[in-house]
């Protein structure tokens, strides 16, 4: 199953050690173990946990690429999800990186700030760049420079249990966070169950942080300083604090990650699940009765109407010994034809304009399944979707500052005003 949650962060000690090692060895030289034999360039391509489900797809893709590029061979390495951060950090610090890597903008930007990736503005022609969705391309830029090529995408949906809504006397799912708060109280009063689960664990999902932006909060200003110490920021803090103190959120939101949200929904303990459509198949397999009662609605938002998009991208390490071949392969993986094929195989969305305009994302039969309907809704959302949180080399610290102080306010250890003030100070003094 493809998962688009943000990676769990490494411990500060490991991260600091690896990055310090990388910075110390950051000259332009270095030894790479990959060799070019008999005039053939070998490109090493790392993906994240796409075997065995997509093994046939990638074998075919690589065969097609090699047949069109006789001087290039591709060595595909699939890395377990949990191992990727450590593995790529070690490879980059040791100057033995792969040539093409599947990451996401959130983690990749942390190393982009340390010049780890190839500057793609000098490698990708403007006419090729314009084939990608403009807002999605921006997700892999930092300080005006492009460090990644967009690949596959998802936007969140609201998956809801019609049986629980009926029991609570609710006719339609909420569209905004204000409506969600009202529904949460009604569901708790009528059924004794929770409306939903969202995590406040700093190392896990960024959904709460994104909700701030959807509620109209500016997270940082043009100088990179905290901008959320504002009336809008305090209102967003207050929203989540009130839900928790009223008993409308499970206590485990402070300790458990997004996986718990899926488990609770599948067990019939929550009415709503905010997640990507890729989880619909899992619900059908793991909880058939819940799946039968499930319907879908567009993503929740605030007064801004903004919708999130989760992006997977491809980056090329600056120390690649085959940069031109690597760029050629990365553009092949993400071209219109291959993006459309992978989107169909993986139930995700493509990041190119032409692939997204295919009828596959617009037309469904009258008796369409929930999964088919989800494809059209998410594709429609993508037209207005954007990366809601700023691309920063230390974005994990912003989430940590806000989540930890938000937790303190939820537990009554700080007032909302103090929590907001402390979070802003923590970010500004990082």
């Amino acid at each position: 199953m493809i998962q688009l949650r943000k990676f769990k962060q490494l411990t500060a000690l490991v991260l600091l050690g690896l990055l310090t090692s990388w910075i110390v060895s950051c000259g332009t030289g270095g030894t790479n173990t990959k060799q070019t034999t008999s005039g053939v360039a070998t490109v090493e391509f790392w993906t994240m946990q796409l075997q065995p489900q997509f093994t046939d797809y990638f074998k075919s893709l690589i065969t097609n690429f090699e047949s069109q590029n006789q001087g290039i061979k591709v060595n595909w390495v699939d890395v377990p999800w949990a191992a990727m951060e450590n593995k790529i950090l070690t490879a980059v610090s040791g100057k033995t990186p792969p040539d093409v890597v599947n990451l996401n903008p959130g983690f990749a930007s942390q190393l982009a700030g340390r010049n780890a990736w190839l500057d793609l503005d000098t490698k990708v022609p403007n006419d090729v760049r314009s084939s990608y969705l403009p807002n999605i391309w921006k997700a892999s830029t930092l300080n005006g420079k492009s460090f990644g090529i967009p690949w596959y995408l998802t936007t969140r949906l609201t998956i809801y249990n019609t049986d629980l809504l009926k029991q609570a006397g609710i006719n339609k799912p909420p569209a905004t966070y204000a409506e969600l708060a009202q529904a949460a109280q009604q569901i708790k009063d009528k059924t004794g169950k929770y409306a939903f689960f969202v995590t406040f664990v700093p190392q896990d999902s960024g959904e709460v942080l994104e909700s701030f932006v959807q509620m109209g909060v500016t997270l940082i200003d043009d100088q990179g300083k905290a901008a959320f110490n504002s009336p809008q920021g305090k209102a967003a803090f207050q929203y989540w604090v009130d839900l928790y103190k009223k008993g409308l959120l499970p206590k485990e939101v402070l300790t458990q990650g997004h996986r718990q949200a899926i488990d609770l929904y599948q067990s019939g303990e929550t009415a709503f699940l905010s997640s990507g459509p890729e989880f619909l198949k899992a619900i059908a397999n793991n909880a058939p009765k819940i799946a039968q009662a499930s319907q879908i609605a567009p993503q929740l938002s605030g007064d801004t109407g903004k919708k999130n998009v989760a992006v997977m991208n491809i980056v090329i390490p600056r120390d690649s010994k085959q940069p031109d071949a690597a760029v050629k392969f990365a553009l092949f993986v993400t071209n219109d034809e291959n993006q459309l094929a992978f989107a169909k195989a993986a139930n995700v969305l493509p990041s190119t304009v032409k692939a997204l305009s295919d009828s596959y994302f617009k037309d469904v039969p009258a008796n369409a399944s929930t999964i088919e309907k989800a494809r059209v809704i998410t594709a429609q959302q993508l037209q207005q979707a954007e990366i809601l949180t700023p691309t920063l080399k230390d974005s994990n610290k912003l989430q940590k500052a806000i989540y930890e102080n938000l937790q303190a306010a939820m537990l009554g250890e700080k007032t909302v005003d103090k929590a907001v003030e402390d979070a802003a100070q923590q970010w500004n003094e990082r």
Side-chain angles (χ1 to χ4, degrees):
M1 180 191 305
I2 294 182
Q3 302 178 49
L4 290 175
R5 288 167 29 197
K6 289 187 177 181
F7 304 128
K8 291 185 177 180
Q9 302 299 318
L10 296 173
T11 64
L13 181 61
V14 173
L15 184 60
L16 178 62
L18 286 169
L19 292 180
T20 300
S21 171
W22 184 80
I23 291 168
V24 168
S25 63
C26 197
T28 57
T31 302
N32 194 308
T33 58
K34 294 187 290 294
Q35 302 292 327
T36 301
T37 306
S38 303
V40 175
T42 299
V43 170
E44 189 166 308
F45 173 44
W46 286 10
T47 57
M48 285 189 296
Q49 205 159 315
L50 296 180
Q51 291 182 2
Q53 188 172 359
F54 305 106
T55 297
D56 291 343
Y57 171 84
F58 283 103
K59 283 185 175 180
S60 176
L61 178 135
I62 290 169
T63 297
N64 290 339
F65 176 78
E66 290 177 344
S67 68
Q68 297 174 31
N69 298 273
Q70 296 295 322
I72 305 174
K73 293 294 181 184
V74 178
N75 177 31
W76 176 33
V77 178
D78 193 57
V79 180
W81 186 275
M84 178 59 94
E85 285 189 5
N86 199 357
K87 191 173 178 67
I88 190 60
L89 281 168
T90 301
V92 167
S93 66
K95 291 193 171 295
T96 57
D99 301 288
V100 180
V101 192
N102 164 208
L103 292 175
N104 71 9
F107 178 67
S109 64
Q110 296 178 42
L111 287 180
R114 295 168 176 84
N115 200 28
W117 313 126
L118 195 67
D119 180 2
L120 294 174
D121 290 327
T122 64
K123 294 290 186 180
V124 180
N126 286 335
D127 61 326
V128 175
R129 175 173 170 166
S130 65
S131 66
Y132 298 86
L133 295 165
N135 281 351
I136 305 304
W137 183 278
K138 289 178 185 176
S140 296
T141 62
L142 185 66
N143 299 325
K145 293 184 178 181
S146 304
F147 63 81
I149 299 171
W151 192 9
Y152 60 90
L153 320 167
T154 66
T155 65
R156 283 196 301 267
L157 291 168
T158 299
I159 304 171
Y160 62 97
N161 186 319
T162 56
D163 288 343
L164 280 181
L165 262 62
K166 185 177 181 180
Q167 292 174 34
I170 297 174
N171 296 322
K172 63 178 182 177
T176 66
Y177 284 106
E179 292 177 3
L180 177 63
Q182 295 174 355
Q185 187 68 66
Q186 194 167 336
I187 289 168
K188 191 68 180 292
D189 291 343
K190 296 292 182 65
T191 71
K193 296 187 177 182
Y194 294 104
F196 70 112
F197 180 102
V198 63
T199 181
F200 295 83
V201 175
Q203 298 84 5
D204 205 273
S205 169
E207 185 178 346
V208 170
L209 193 63
E210 291 173 340
S211 78
F212 276 46
V213 179
Q214 292 173 312
M215 293 178 190
V217 180
T218 300
L219 294 174
I220 61 170
D221 61 23
D222 293 339
Q223 286 71 48
K225 296 292 185 179
F228 56 83
N229 191 355
S230 64
Q232 294 88 351
K234 291 176 182 178
F237 263 70
Q238 192 70 59
Y239 174 87
W240 292 111
V241 169
D242 287 347
L243 282 178
Y244 185 81
K245 287 188 172 181
K246 289 177 180 178
L248 301 180
L249 289 173
K251 293 187 182 299
E252 292 78 17
V253 296
L254 304 182
T255 57
Q256 299 294 315
H258 182 69
R259 181 70 243 179
Q260 181 73 357
I262 299 169
D263 291 343
L264 287 174
Y265 184 81
Q266 290 182 155
S267 63
E269 294 302 313
T270 54
F272 306 113
L273 173 64
S274 179
S275 198
E278 68 273 12
F279 286 105
L280 287 168
K281 285 186 178 179
I283 295 169
N285 291 334
N286 299 332
K289 290 185 178 179
I290 298 297
Q292 289 176 3
S294 293
Q295 293 294 330
I296 54 173
Q299 180 185 144
L300 281 166
S301 189
D303 293 338
T304 65
K306 291 184 176 181
K307 301 288 197 297
N308 102 303
V309 59
V311 179
M312 278 299 200
N313 65 359
I314 288 179
V315 297
I316 298 165
R318 184 173 58 87
D319 285 328
S320 166
K321 298 305 178 186
Q322 313 292 345
D324 292 336
V327 170
K328 182 175 286 189
F329 179 65
L331 292 176
F332 182 81
V333 172
T334 61
N335 69 22
D336 295 319
E337 180 182 356
N338 290 323
Q339 286 234 34
L340 180 58
F342 187 66
K344 290 180 177 181
N347 192 28
V348 293
L349 299 172
S351 61
T352 66
V353 176
K354 184 177 179 180
L356 188 63
S357 67
D358 191 87
S359 61
Y360 179 74
F361 300 105
K362 298 178 180 180
D363 303 327
V364 293
N367 60 343
S369 66
T370 304
I371 292 175
E372 289 173 320
K373 292 176 183 176
R375 180 172 72 237
V376 173
I377 291 176
T378 55
Q380 290 172 342
Q381 287 185 161
L382 194 57
Q383 303 296 338
Q384 294 84 33
E386 58 185 293
I387 299 292
L388 295 178
T389 53
T391 303
L392 306 165
K393 66 179 181 181
D394 47 5
S395 57
N396 58 316
K397 293 181 180 178
L398 177 63
Q399 182 164 310
K400 184 173 186 287
I402 289 178
Y403 280 30
E404 287 183 347
N405 284 283
L406 188 51
Q407 282 199 22
M410 293 162 74
L411 292 170
E413 298 169 356
K414 296 181 181 181
T415 65
V416 165
D417 285 355
K418 179 62 173 173
V420 174
E421 179 184 340
D422 287 353
Q425 183 176 354
Q426 186 176 329
W427 167 252
N428 289 337
E429 294 178 351
R430 66 194 184 284

